[in-house]
Structure formats: C-alpha cells, structure tokens
Amino acid sequence: MIIYSRNRRLRINASIRALVQQTVLTTNDLVMPIFVMEGENKQESISSMPGIFRRTLDLTVKECQELYSLGVKGVNLYMKVSENLKDNKGTESWNENGLMQNAIKAIKDAVPGMVVMPDVALDPYSIYGHDGIIANGKIDNDATNEALVKMSVSLAAAGADILAPSDMMDGRVAAIRTGLEEGGFTDVGILSYAAKYASSFYGPFRSALDSAPKENNDIPKDKKTYQMDFHNSREALDEVMKDISEGADIIMIKPGMPYLDIVAKVRETIDLPIAVYNVSGEYAMLKAAAQNGWLDNDQAIIESLTCIKRAGADMIFTYAAKEAAILLNQ
C-alpha cells in the first residue's frame, strides 16, 4: 500500500516544524498585570499566586523597567486600596493624587514606551467589594457609569494610554468615550471587557486586592447580576458588538483557556484586536501542578499561552508574562 499523503513529513524535525508553524508567540503578545500598594521599598507575596507580588510604587517602576527590557510592552494596573479610602461611590478612584494616578505618572516617566493600561472598575475602592454603586440593595448601573467616567478622565489626565473598564455595566463604553472626547483625550483607547464571565477562576485575584463582595445580607453576594453567565455563548457576541458600537478599540474576553470557544467565535466575527485574560485561577492551577511535579512549568506556560493566541487572541493578559518573556528570549 502506497500512502501518498503523509502529514508526518512536515513534523520530521525541529527545523521543518518551525518552517510550517502556524502560530507564533512573541513578547509582543504579552501584557503583565501589576498590583500596587502604598508604602516604600516593600513587596508582599500573594500565596495563591507563586511569583506574584504586591509592590510599592518605587519597586513597581523597577519591575516595569525590567519587563520592558524583556520585551513586554504593556502593563495592566490594579491598586490595593487602604480601607479608610473606600466608600460606596469609589470616590478615591478619581483622586488626581491617588495611588493609581501616581503609578501611571511614575511608570510613564520611567518607561515612556510602556503601554499603561489601568483597570477601570470600582471594586478595589468599594466598601462592598462590588464593581458598582449599591442603591436599594442592587447595583445602580447608571450611577456607576457616572463614577466610571470621572475615574476614566482622571486616569487619562494622569497619562494612561488605554483604559480597561472591567466592570460590565451596560452602556459604560459609550459613557467613557463621551467623557474622554469632551475632556480632550481623543487619543486614549478603550479596551473593553466585553465578554467577562462570572467565573470561579478569579479567586486568587480577589484575595490579592481584597476585592471580593463582602458578606452582607443587604447586597448581592456575588457579581452574577452584571458579569456574564458561563452557560451562555451567543450572549458574548451581543456584548461584543454593543461595545464596538459604543466606541471600544479593543475587545477583552475573560477568563482565557476555559473560554477559548468564545475567543474563536468572536475572532470569526470581528476584525478589532482581541485581548484575552489568562486569569489568576488559571495561573494558580498551573503553578500548583508544577510545584507538585505533575507537569513541566516552562512547557505548560508556553503551550497554554500559544493556545490562547491560536484561538484568536492578539494580546494576552497573563501573570506569567515575565516568565514567558524570559523563556521566549532564550
């Protein structure tokens, strides 16, 4: 029997495999989430996320310099807000001298080429741990949008390149875009968390910022009234198309690997850049398995991120960005 077509011919050695490789992961694909806290010359490890730290601003700047030298060109900023600065409206989020605003200024001053993408949401600033303002036991969508506009304009004024609203309020992209235009920040982009699911994979992140919903019988116990139901697929396309119509420049899908069907479906539908968030729970699972010797850490990092890109991502937000950059540079 003669086999005329043998796919293995193109797998026979590393050089041939490289020539026909269809998906290539580079440092240009990576965005590093960064946790910033008050103080000086301090860092705190996050037990559920080995290798990840909360850092004071001075050490955050050094980390950004190192990331940029490795080829990572984007950082996504989150603040660990002091309890005394939290309220129901998130007013600290638009303080022009707030930690987030100062972090943006410091990073842009030290690493002008770094694309700084601050998170836009109220949960780190909220006494309730929710992304929105609580009124009558519910999330007040429209009042929250007004607060998000104030926050967005403040972050744009501090020097942010791209804003990343992760709150999942209806209509917030249009509200933020209007606020930016009216404020003269026409060049500031919006990376919208369009398809953000109410996922159990966010746990380590929430412990890092103490941003989980607080135990209180008078407020929603979770974020399912605004984040998407993980049972749904078509709804993601509806969310994406609405955010594009409202002025989003980049679309985010979150989480990553458990939602690659959504990434692929959105990629087939739109031409805008797609960001995918390889979230804290995904990172924690990989690290736990590697520490137990159940898989190879380095190989699993590169494989998992390449799979996300193969599904259609243009950029990947990942806590493994620094490790991946070192591996890719090698």
Side-chain angles (χ1 to χ4, degrees), residues 235-255:
E235 183 184 5
L237 292 177
D238 182 51
E239 291 278 6
V240 166
M241 299 312 293
K242 283 177 178 174
D243 283 5
I244 291 174
S245 71
E246 292 179 14
D249 302 288
I250 303 169
I251 292 299
M252 170 71 85
I253 298 166
K254 181 180 181 180

Side-chain angles (χ1 to χ4, degrees), residues 88 126 128 130 132-140 144 218-220:
N88 184 32
S126 168
Y128 297 116
H130 272 288
I133 295 170
I134 302 292
N136 300 317
K138 298 179 181 179
I139 306 297
D140 189 327
T144 299
D218 297 327
I219 64 172

Side-chain angles (χ1 to χ4, degrees), residues 57 62 70 79 89 116 123 154 168 183 281 321:
L57 186 49
K62 292 180 180 178
L70 291 169
M79 302 297 113
K89 295 183 178 180
V116 177
D123 50 331
S154 175
M168 289 297 287

Side-chain angles (χ1 to χ4, degrees), residues 89 94 120 122 131-133 139-153 165 167-177 179 246:
K89 295 183 178 180
W94 60 84
V120 177
L122 300 186
D131 294 54
I133 295 170
I139 306 297
D140 189 327
N141 188 96
D142 297 359
T144 299
N145 283 345
E146 293 177 8
L148 294 174
V149 171
K150 293 177 183 178
M151 181 181 184
S152 297
V153 172
D167 56 284
M168 289 297 287
M169 297 297 115
D170 292 332
R172 91 275 204 213
V173 173
I176 292 170
R177 175 51 65 200
E246 292 179 14

